[in-house]
Amino acid sequence: AGADPSQVWEGRIKIGEYGKTRKKCKKKHRLIMWNTLNGLFDCKMCGDKQPVGSVLYGCDECEWDMCSACEF
């Protein structure tokens, strides 16, 4: 049994709901919690590349991601 296709988006899988963090993207959209399925993501705040399995908070509309370290 694989991941629910409705929860997978461009190399990430949804693991949380909107509002798990109070931080927002530059355009003030709410972020959703994701888990990376590949190592192609980087944090838009610190610039660090994120390995497979990393937790990110992202905005689909802006294609903006923040790592869990920058979330705090």
Side-chain angles (χ1 to χ4, degrees), residues 3-70:
D4 177 350
S6 69
Q7 304 300 304
V8 177
W9 183 77
E10 295 186 4
R12 326 183 269 188
I13 186 167
K14 179 179 167 184
I15 59 172
E17 299 297 328
Y18 286 105
K20 292 285 184 181
T21 178
R22 292 183 178 186
K23 294 196 177 177
K24 297 182 179 185
C25 73
K26 299 290 183 189
K27 292 186 178 180
K28 306 293 185 205
H29 299 128
R30 293 184 311 159
L31 305 179
I32 194 159
M33 185 186 280
W34 295 94
N35 198 256
T36 60
L37 300 176
N38 61 47
L40 301 176
F41 294 91
D42 61 329
C43 175
K44 300 300 188 243
M45 292 188 71
C46 69
D48 286 353
K49 283 283 189 194
Q50 301 300 305
V52 173
S54 296
V55 172
L56 294 177
Y57 297 86
C59 176
D60 291 345
E61 190 172 334
C62 295
E63 295 185 20
W64 187 92
D65 297 300
M66 173 182 61
C67 70
S68 57
C70 289

